[in-house]
Amino acid sequence: MLFAFAFCFAETEMSLDLTPNTTFEQLSKQTHIPIKKLSTLLNGKYEKETTIAEAELNKNQIEDAIEKFSNKKEGYYWSIVLIGMLIVFCSLMLTGFLIGLLKHLNLIDKFKEEREARKSKPIIKKISTVDGNMSNDEIVAVVTAIYLHELDVEEKNKMNLTWKRAPLSMWQAASKVNLPNRIFFRSGRKF
């Protein structure tokens, strides 16, 4: 990378092969100057098919434009490097900002879970009687409801225990299963 960067600043001796029929595209390839920049340095707006004769330019004007460009060439290279570094730096900052926002995505799920928990939470109301005494039927109803609730919770806990997987060793399980190769070798058959 460093060699490629240093190669950009290396001065190379170029020989111009100028004829009146040389187009700006050919001149651009010979001098390694972009066509638009070359036409700007020559104080005109020339197309790539325009020839030197049509533009009424002489060799001295072209050499002066090439010299102006070579004097500013290092500045052009540095501007390209700085713009590239700025683009990379800004994209890294944007990526870091977006990655920082990812931690907040989990908060949305937490809010949804809390809202669901609030909706499913049983509402306990205080039982009040007018005279403060409950009849025997009311007491039996409350005790029965509590007992049935406890049975339901116990049943759910048992279901959870049966669905949980017991630790299993595949090595022990393989010794108890009759696999095809084991059956073949136990039978004493030969190839």
Side-chain angles (χ1 to χ4, degrees):
M1 170 90 176
L2 185 60
F3 292 117
F5 187 69
F7 182 71
C8 291
F9 293 109
E11 291 291 325
T12 56
E13 188 66 35
M14 68 177 103
S15 61
L16 293 175
D17 183 27
L18 296 176
T19 62
N21 294 332
T22 303
T23 63
F24 268 86
E25 183 176 17
Q26 294 169 342
L27 183 61
S28 172
K29 287 181 183 176
Q30 287 180 13
T31 59
H32 304 291
I33 301 173
I35 296 172
K36 288 185 178 181
K37 189 63 183 173
L38 187 61
S39 66
T40 304
L41 290 171
L42 293 171
N43 300 326
K45 291 192 174 190
Y46 303 113
E47 299 294 323
K48 62 181 180 180
E49 294 86 21
T50 308
T51 61
I52 295 174
E54 291 173 353
E56 299 177 357
L57 298 171
N58 60 22
K59 188 173 183 174
N60 290 336
Q61 290 173 322
I62 294 172
E63 288 176 351
D64 288 341
I66 293 170
E67 188 175 328
K68 285 180 191 175
F69 181 79
S70 63
N71 290 340
K72 296 181 180 180
K73 187 190 304 187
E74 189 173 316
Y76 295 134
Y77 290 148
W78 279 110
S79 65
I80 291 171
V81 168
L82 291 176
I83 289 172
M85 289 170 65
L86 183 66
I87 289 170
V88 169
F89 182 71
C90 289
S91 63
L92 286 174
M93 283 179 41
L94 180 66
T95 304
F97 178 72
L98 291 175
I99 289 174
L101 289 178
L102 288 177
K103 67 181 177 184
H104 298 294
L105 287 178
N106 194 19
L107 293 178
I108 295 170
D109 294 335
K110 285 182 182 177
F111 288 134
K112 287 180 182 177
E113 288 174 5
E114 288 176 6
R115 185 175 42 181
E116 291 296 323
R118 275 187 258 131
K119 286 181 181 178
S120 64
K121 191 182 240 184
I123 300 172
I124 300 172
K125 292 185 178 180
K126 190 175 183 181
I127 300 174
S128 63
T129 60
V130 177
D131 58 359
N133 294 328
M134 292 176 46
S135 70
N136 288 337
D137 292 335
E138 292 173 343
I139 294 173
V140 170
V142 170
V143 171
T144 306
I146 293 172
Y147 177 72
L148 291 175
H149 177 69
E150 287 179 358
L151 283 178
D152 187 40
V153 169
E154 188 176 336
E155 181 89 20
K156 286 181 183 177
N157 288 339
K158 285 181 183 178
M159 286 294 274
N160 285 339
L161 289 175
T162 58
W163 284 104
K164 287 186 180 176
R165 176 175 264 183
L168 176 69
S169 169
M170 292 307 291
W171 293 105
Q172 292 174 352
S175 67
K176 295 176 184 173
V177 177
N178 288 326
L179 299 174
N181 288 345
R182 184 175 296 141
I183 294 169
F184 178 78
F185 287 118
R186 283 186 184 161
S187 68
R189 295 185 191 169
K190 298 197 178 193
F191 293 98

